Amino acid sequence: MTTETKNAADLETLTIGVGGMTCASCVARVEKALKKVPGVSDANVNLASEKATVAFDPDTVEVASLLGAIEAAGYEPRRQTMVFDVVGMTCASCVARVEKALTKVPGVAAANVNLATERATVSFLPGSVQVLEMKTAVDAAGYELRERAEEEEDRGELERAAYQRELKLKWVVAGVVGFGLMLAGYWREFDLTRDLVSVQTMLTAMFLVALPMQTWAGSQFYVGMWKTLRHRTADMNTLIALGTSAAFIYSAVATFWPSLFASAHQAHDMSLGERPPVYFETAVIIIALILFGRWLEARAKGSTSAAIKRLMGLRAKTARVVRDGREVDVPMEEVIVGDTVVVRPGEKIPVDGVVTDGRSAVDESMLTGESLPVEKTAGALVYGATMNKVGHFQMRATKVGRETALAQIIRLVEEAQGSKAPIQRLADLVASVFVPAVLVIAAIDFTIWALLGPEGAVIYATLNAVAVLIIACPCALGLATPTAIMVGTGKGAESGVLIRSGEALETAQRLDTVVFDKTGTITEGKPRVTDIVVAPGQSEGALLRLAASAERGSEHPLAEAVLGEAKERGIDLTDVAEFEAIPGRGISASVAGRTVLIGTRRLMDERAIELGEVGARGAALAEEAKTAVYVVADGSVLGAIAIADTVKAGAAEAVASLRAAGIEVILLTGDNLATAEAIARQVQISEVLAEVLPDQKVEKIRELQARGRTVAMVGDGINDAPALAQADVGIAIGTGADVAMEAADVTLMRGDPRGVVTAIALSKATMRTIKQNLFWAFFYNVLLIPVAAGALYPVFHQTGVPAGLHFVFGSYGFLNPMLAGAAMASSSISVMTNSLRLRGFRPPAVSEQAAAVRAVA
């Protein structure tokens, strides 16, 4: 049925906030874009309220397509994102079910559910959907959605710890009971109880011992199965509950109504006289093994989020603030912007702020990964949770609560850990059909062996079906990608590399081109004095004193460089008189009775001043991308000061390491070609894109992408933000503008370009781990499901099973269900363990090429 033929009552109406509209033509453009979406009946856009009201057929149109149409038209659909805890998930099929339930809620644009973190990240349209509606939808799917709050983190930790304790108690008790039942089975097998109790009494006792294990230790499987069956679906709880119940129920029937199996047990290899065999120990031990696997998973999940826990543990609990002229200790929640905070030696800095009095050295390694303390004086920025080492200072609070750098880092890492890499789509697709397929396979397997199996066919058919159900649980598939992403992004945060999403993590390992912006990325972004040339008979100190004194009245960046050099050298300055700025040329001033002229070569030529040998040295410095400022007093040349935006210490190493890895490196800048090439020579970059205006940077990135390149853009300024967003991976230097970091996929908390090498290496290590996890998860199921189904029967049918393999394959090659349970648990554990190996990741060692660069430097 098309939208046109549907009644208005069949259509759904949605209100979407739209940003970026400025006039009536914008309204028309958004309306036109929305109406073009198949299934949309009408769209009305209001410029004043900045909202679009859309009537559409919910059977045809997804919310995401409406938002995509608005974005394609060049405007911003307003979304809100919330993170929830999801209770009750056990495998990858649970993830798919919760995501499906959430995305069906009108107004929800996207839902991303992570099994490893047990969280759902939901993007929705503000005002069009309530949290209660999302909770109701998830509850209807058989799970529980809980809102998360910062203050509830401790409660969540307590709940997880209690869950681990419960799992441990259950698997230990079930394991002990299962082992006892196994011994009882052997006693019966060797007829050791003939003189003590009857066989019937022994079997009844085994039933009574196994029953509470099935109902208590295995209760969570039945609860989970019931929740899914109510909604006509199935998950791993269904497989485990059906598998263990089949073994238990068969054994109960064989215990109390053995005659039902009279024909089946007569030739069974484990039968005793008139009695068919029972498998109470199989059901109990399978439960114990699976609970043991879940317990290890729960512990490993806690380890994967260790980085977040460590970051949260860094937060100070109290702050010492000045209130009414007195220093008082207050809880962190009571600190407000503008408060004067006192920080003593050895204390954590409570919030972000600016030093107003005093000086100290601060350990900022928790933010940047840099172990050396950073000197702080009045005017310096300090960050909450960093450690004050030796000095005493006061600061003015500028960011508190969720606005601090640490809170934003935690939020960014949590978002990254909750995201999905594109490679996970395959696992999600398989998981969505996996459990129903396994149920069908188990039913077919039971039927085949019941009809065609060897003597005792019903027993073998039951055990094979149990083995298939147990061995095929898709836990490993659901954990393969998220656990690796959690550990990888957490490890990155510890190294000062913040990766925004799983998609960025996956893309970074395919990079073949890295484009560096020059200023603030390859260079320091702040002019500094690099060389001082003095005329015969002059000294550097006297020249610098005269120049810095004259420049005191100037606000030019070059003047700041000269003044900064004089300050570093501890040079006392002289008062200035008759200061005059000469636009674009330099300055003139009267210093200690001398007429001083400081400026460019052009100014010197205009004033007909002969520079001589000093001029020749200045010209040579200019070829090195340094600006030579000449100093003249009373008409005589005293010397020249060379000023340049110096190359960062690790830039050449970073470039060399990238080139050694086969990645092409390009320098992009708005500076003139000569300056750009001089900088490029210093860091050994061969390709330079110079004199590029800010709005042209995006085009340069697009040109590279059009040539088939996978491009990373590294920048730090506001004018870099569009290029960062356009690049396949945008990498922002953390010392730069906030807007650049917002547009970036990766943020380097240090200003060190070597972080780019670390980010790419971490991406490759994480993706390698994910691929290993997925391979083993798929390979495990492809290999072992046929074995559990009885594929080895033809192999052993004629020759028989070797004596050493009887416990594994019985007499005919049928897999022992207990070992199926152990194999299922071990598959998940192997995936978790493999992911945790990423915790040992270290930033890559300096390449031979980079080492050579360092040696030359």
Side-chain angles (χ1 to χ4, degrees):
M1 184 179 289
T2 65
T3 304
E4 287 76 9
T5 59
K6 280 200 169 188
N7 296 323
D10 297 324
L11 299 176
E12 202 166 273
T13 301
L14 195 62
T15 300
I16 306 172
V18 182
M21 297 189 298
T22 57
C23 61
S25 63
C26 298
V27 171
R29 197 173 295 117
V30 175
E31 286 183 349
K32 183 179 179 181
L34 287 168
K35 288 177 180 178
K36 278 186 176 180
V37 177
V40 170
S41 173
D42 193 23
N44 293 298
V45 179
N46 187 308
L47 180 62
S49 64
E50 294 187 309
K51 290 181 179 178
T53 303
V54 189
F56 62 96
D57 176 8
D59 296 331
T60 306
V61 181
E62 293 184 351
V63 174
S65 62
L66 300 176
L67 303 184
I70 295 172
E71 287 177 334
Y75 301 92
E76 180 190 355
R78 295 206 169 99
R79 301 179 176 91
Q80 182 177 342
T81 301
M82 289 185 68
V83 180
F84 300 89
D85 288 325
V86 184
V87 179
M89 295 192 301
T90 55
C91 65
S93 60
C94 300
V95 171
R97 195 151 34 252
V98 175
E99 285 183 347
K100 185 177 180 181
L102 285 167
T103 51
K104 279 189 173 181
V105 177
V108 172
N112 183 11
V113 178
N114 189 305
L115 177 63
T117 59
E118 297 178 318
R119 289 175 185 168
T121 303
V122 186
S123 176
F124 60 94
L125 306 182
S128 64
V129 61
Q130 301 297 319
V131 171
L132 181 60
E133 296 176 72
M134 292 186 268
K135 287 183 175 181
T136 302
V138 173
D139 180 68
Y143 306 90
E144 182 184 353
L145 198 69
R146 293 181 182 174
E147 288 185 72
R148 299 184 66 243
E150 298 235 354
E151 57 270 18
E152 292 180 350
E153 286 292 338
D154 291 340
R155 189 186 75 178
E157 282 297 314
L158 292 173
E159 289 180 354
R160 283 187 283 273
Y163 176 61
Q164 288 184 34
R165 287 194 298 272
E166 179 186 356
L167 286 175
K168 184 177 181 179
L169 175 65
K170 286 184 174 181
W171 79 253
V172 168
V173 173
V176 170
V177 170
F179 183 71
L181 289 172
M182 185 182 295
L183 292 178
Y186 281 124
W187 288 342
R188 176 195 166 213
E189 179 70 17
F190 293 108
D191 206 19
L192 299 176
T193 59
R194 181 186 303 274
D195 299 329
L196 300 177
V197 293
S198 67
V199 172
Q200 181 63 48
T201 302
M202 173 62 74
L203 292 178
T204 302
M206 292 173 70
F207 167 81
L208 293 174
V209 171
L211 180 61
M213 294 301 98
Q214 198 74 27
T215 55
W216 170 69
S219 60
Q220 63 194 76
F221 305 126
Y222 290 104
V223 171
M225 181 178 72
W226 171 244
K227 286 182 178 179
T228 56
L229 290 179
R230 280 190 308 160
H231 306 288
R232 298 173 184 171
T233 59
D235 63 6
M236 72 164 288
N237 289 305
T238 308
L239 301 181
I240 297 169
L242 288 177
T244 56
S245 296
F248 180 82
I249 292 171
Y250 157 77
S251 299
V253 172
T255 296
F256 298 108
W257 299 280
S259 59
L260 295 177
F261 296 99
S263 61
H265 82 268
Q266 286 173 357
H268 193 279
D269 63 314
M270 293 184 68
S271 63
L272 260 185
E274 74 285 357
R275 284 283 182 178
V278 294
Y279 295 96
F280 290 120
E281 77 282 359
T282 298
V284 175
I285 289 177
I286 286 173
I287 289 173
L289 287 170
I290 294 170
L291 289 175
F292 174 68
R294 285 199 178 180
W295 174 67
L296 289 179
E297 280 178 29
R299 293 187 63 188
K301 284 177 183 178
S303 298
T304 58
S305 58
I308 286 287
K309 292 177 183 175
R310 280 195 291 270
L311 288 172
M312 288 181 170
L314 292 172
R315 295 179 295 194
K317 305 298 182 186
T318 62
R320 184 173 295 101
V321 301
V322 178
R323 298 273 170 87
D324 300 324
R326 295 185 304 109
E327 293 182 10
V328 293
D329 288 336
V330 300
M332 284 291 300
E333 296 75 21
E334 295 182 16
V335 181
I336 60 175
V337 173
D339 268 341
T340 296
V341 181
V342 179
V343 184
R344 295 187 295 201
E347 291 183 339
K348 286 182 180 178
I349 297 172
V351 295
D352 293 3
V354 178
V355 176
T356 56
D357 185 44
R359 63 184 301 146
S360 183
V362 176
D363 179 358
E364 295 183 345
S365 58
M366 51 73 60
L367 283 178
T368 66
E370 177 60 63
S371 58
L372 293 177
V374 181
E375 291 291 328
K376 300 291 181 180
T377 57
L381 296 176
V382 289
Y383 302 97
T386 56
M387 180 66 71
N388 182 34
K389 301 294 285 185
V390 291
H392 180 285
F393 64 89
Q394 289 188 353
M395 57 177 281
R396 184 180 72 257
T398 57
K399 292 182 179 180
V400 300
R402 294 177 61 85
E403 301 304 315
T404 63
L406 178 64
Q408 292 180 46
I409 289 171
I410 291 172
R411 193 155 56 247
L412 185 62
V413 175
E414 283 183 328
E415 289 172 4
Q417 292 186 338
S419 67
K420 287 186 178 180
I423 196 172
Q424 192 172 344
R425 292 173 190 150
L426 176 62
D428 288 347
L429 179 64
V430 172
S432 65
V433 297
F434 193 80
V435 173
V438 169
L439 291 172
V440 172
I441 292 171
I444 294 173
D445 190 54
F446 177 85
T447 303
I448 290 174
W449 291 114
L451 296 175
L452 305 176
E455 292 294 333
V458 174
I459 298 173
Y460 287 123
T462 301
L463 294 179
N464 283 355
V466 169
V468 169
L469 290 170
I470 296 302
I471 207 166
C473 292
C475 303
L477 280 178
L479 293 168
T481 301
T483 52
I485 288 178
M486 284 181 69
V487 180
T489 53
K491 194 65 187 176
E494 291 177 7
S495 303
V497 178
L498 301 183
I499 300 170
R500 189 174 291 274
S501 67
E503 185 174 0
L505 195 66
E506 180 170 339
T507 305
Q509 55 109 23
R510 295 187 284 107
L511 291 172
D512 54 34
T513 306
V514 174
V515 178
F516 283 98
D517 178 58
K518 180 180 76 70
T519 307
T521 305
I522 290 294
T523 65
E524 295 287 353
K526 183 179 180 182
R528 296 185 59 183
V529 172
T530 59
D531 302 87
I532 298 178
V533 179
V534 294
Q538 303 296 324
S539 69
E540 285 190 5
L543 177 68
L544 195 56
R545 178 182 292 107
L546 190 66
S549 298
E551 295 280 15
R552 289 174 76 177
S554 174
E555 297 178 353
H556 195 280
L558 297 183
E560 291 181 10
V562 173
L563 287 165
E565 182 70 16
K567 184 178 180 182
E568 281 187 21
R569 297 195 183 196
I571 295 174
D572 295 326
L573 304 185
T574 308
D575 291 336
V576 181
E578 300 176 12
F579 176 87
E580 178 190 358
I582 306 170
R585 307 284 196 278
I587 61 132
S588 67
S590 177
V591 180
R594 304 177 73 182
T595 301
V596 178
L597 186 67
I598 302 175
T600 63
R601 189 180 193 100
R602 184 175 179 181
L603 177 62
M604 300 300 127
D605 291 342
E606 289 175 355
R607 299 294 175 92
I609 296 173
E610 184 63 41
L611 297 175
E613 189 177 330
V614 172
R617 277 290 288 127
L621 290 168
E623 291 180 2
E624 299 175 14
K626 298 174 182 177
T627 301
V629 176
Y630 297 95
V631 182
V632 176
D634 298 329
S636 299
V637 178
L638 304 183
I641 299 174
I643 300 169
D645 184 4
T646 55
V647 171
K648 288 185 175 179
E653 257 183 60
V655 171
S657 292
L658 290 171
R659 291 177 60 189
I663 296 173
E664 184 172 354
V665 183
I666 298 172
L667 185 66
L668 179 67
T669 180
D671 276 355
N672 63 74
L673 183 59
T675 301
E677 287 183 339
I679 294 295
R681 281 194 299 272
Q682 292 183 50
V683 294
Q684 298 183 7
I685 294 178
S686 56
E687 186 173 350
V688 177
L689 302 176
E691 300 175 15
V692 180
L693 297 175
D695 58 345
Q696 295 174 333
K697 290 185 177 181
V698 171
E699 290 305 318
K700 294 297 182 183
I701 299 297
R702 286 178 181 153
E703 287 173 13
L704 291 168
Q705 291 171 326
R707 285 152 54 185
R709 306 272 191 89
T710 304
V711 183
M713 171 70 190
V714 187
D716 80 323
I718 290 175
N719 60 7
D720 296 327
L724 290 172
Q726 174 62 40
D728 297 287
V729 177
I731 302 177
I733 297 290
T735 51
D738 288 343
V739 68
M741 287 184 262
E742 286 296 320
D745 302 299
V746 178
T747 299
L748 307 180
M749 294 307 296
R750 278 184 279 178
D752 191 339
R754 285 173 292 194
V756 176
V757 181
T758 299
I760 295 174
L762 180 61
S763 166
K764 290 182 177 180
T766 304
M767 292 310 301
R768 185 165 55 248
T769 299
I770 289 174
K771 290 173 183 176
Q772 290 168 351
N773 287 348
L774 288 174
F775 170 80
W776 287 111
F778 281 117
F779 179 77
Y780 158 85
N781 282 300
V782 169
L783 179 67
L784 292 185
I785 288 178
V787 172
L792 295 180
Y793 174 74
V795 176
F796 295 116
H797 177 58
Q798 298 296 333
T799 62
V801 177
L805 295 178
H806 263 258
F807 179 72
V808 180
F809 295 116
S811 298
Y812 294 105
F814 298 137
L815 184 66
N816 187 328
M818 285 190 290
L819 296 181
M824 190 280 286
S826 66
S827 69
S828 298
I829 295 166
S830 65
V831 164
M832 298 293 294
T833 304
N834 193 41
S835 295
L836 288 174
R837 288 194 308 113
L838 278 171
R839 293 172 66 184
F841 172 84
R842 294 288 181 270
V846 179
S847 69
E848 291 183 12
Q849 189 173 351
V853 168
R854 175 182 283 179
V856 170

